[in-house]
Amino acid sequence: GAGVSQTPSNKVTEKGKYVELRCDPISGHTALYWYRQSLGQGPEFLIYFQGTGAADDSGLPNDRFFAVRPEGSVSTLKIQRTERGDSAVYLCASSSQPASGPTDTQYFGPGTRLTVL
Amino acid sequence: AQSVTQLDSQVPVFEEAPVELRCNYSSSVSVYLFWYVQYPNQGLQLLLKYLSGSTLVESINGFEAEFNKSQTSFHLRKPSVHISDTAEYFCAVRAGRDTGRRALTFGSGTRLQVQP
């Protein structure tokens, strides 16, 4: 079946603007993750959803970053008042495991490259 | 909290030669360990993982990794590489099941460059 999809693939914005990044997980996957990958670095965790609720948002860098998953499927990462330091590739991953089960595999999307000018 | 160190940012190697990509981790709790691969212009793909049991795990394309608890390492090896193995390889850890934490912590990556 289809993998994790993310839109847009590229986003260029100006400093101070608001952006939304969308993630469509694999159908039926209950868990969804957002990561951020800066140039030359590995991905860094931002937030994890189990169903509709944010189970762990400890990786969000500040209150300019917010994410939602209102129906337990598609998720949107929202960044307010963007800064040049927000430029990175934003990765989404999903997995099928319910919260109480054994570990699962996170399947990653291709990412959204955000450039803040 | 967990951390991952990949000591080599780039590893050049000739085709059909053996390779080892090093990964060390730090954690105050039990962990699960993963290697992900990112081919040029593609997303991250899981290569192999250690959850429990045998400390030696293998992938379908000839890579293997061994969990060494005393050395806190999870090095990735392949006895004979191909041009098609050229990619960025990321080691990652996740806190063990009892902690409830699901986030992966990644290393900074090792670029494997296989030369003819």
Side-chain angles (χ1 to χ4, degrees), chain A residues 44-97:
Chain A
E44 293 178 294
F45 169 74
L46 295 176
I47 187 170
Y48 151 57
F49 287 90
Q50 182 62 44
T52 60
D56 182 356
D57 64 358
S58 62
L60 294 177
N62 51 60
D63 60 6
R64 295 187 298 106
F65 288 74
F66 190 70
V68 295
R69 196 186 185 200
E71 298 178 357
S73 178
V74 171
S75 176
T76 305
L77 179 66
K78 308 180 181 193
I79 310 174
Q80 299 177 322
R81 305 183 303 280
T82 52
E83 299 177 358
R84 292 194 180 88
D86 298 335
S87 296
V89 176
Y90 288 80
L91 299 170
C92 178
S94 71
S95 67
S96 62
Q97 202 60 50

Side-chain angles (χ1 to χ4, degrees), chain B residues 64-84:
Chain B
E64 64 179 31
E66 185 160 19
F67 169 55
N68 187 320
K69 188 174 181 180
S70 62
Q71 302 283 334
T72 60
S73 68
F74 192 55
H75 301 329
L76 182 69
R77 303 184 184 96
K78 189 170 186 180
S80 175
V81 294
H82 302 290
I83 295 286
S84 60

